[in-house]
Amino acid sequence: MADIYQQLCERIFHDFWQQSEVHVGLKLPTERELEVRYKVSRPTVGKAIAALAAEGWVTKRQGSGIFVAAIESEAGKRGSGSPFRIGFVGLDLGSELCHRVFVGVEQIVRLK
């Protein structure tokens, strides 16, 4: 069975990319708004957003929000990923430390 955050990724992707008109740069709801909308915890929302960011679908800007970074016609189907990949192996991928590492790596990669 998929983790809750993976299920949330699918729901967010379905609701915003497949059920509505999206464009690059569109601001998505805040993590707090997503938490209330989907009735999940804030860390679960954070993990789901981090996963979508790792796949290249969203970008999160500290203090500004979460924005659409790619649309299906540009990026292909969800799960195909980017041609550029960074691997990370951790003992507990559910830990706050690993989540923070993922977020930090994503932020640095987006600067390049």
Side-chain angles (χ1 to χ4, degrees), residues 21-89:
E21 187 79 21
V22 296
H23 57 84
V24 173
L26 175 72
K27 186 173 183 177
L28 296 178
T30 66
E31 285 189 13
R32 174 71 182 125
E33 292 167 335
L34 292 171
E35 174 185 4
V36 170
R37 178 178 180 160
Y38 295 107
K39 297 177 178 73
V40 295
S41 69
R42 187 86 169 262
T44 300
V45 172
K47 283 177 157 180
I49 295 300
L52 288 169
E55 291 181 16
W57 294 105
V58 300
T59 186
K60 185 175 176 182
R61 297 183 203 134
Q62 190 68 32
S64 296
I66 305 162
F67 299 88
V68 171
I71 53 177
E72 278 197 290
S73 62
E74 292 178 341
K77 296 294 179 199
R78 182 166 186 267
S80 63
S82 164
F84 306 104
R85 300 224 181 240
I86 294 177
F88 175 76
V89 177

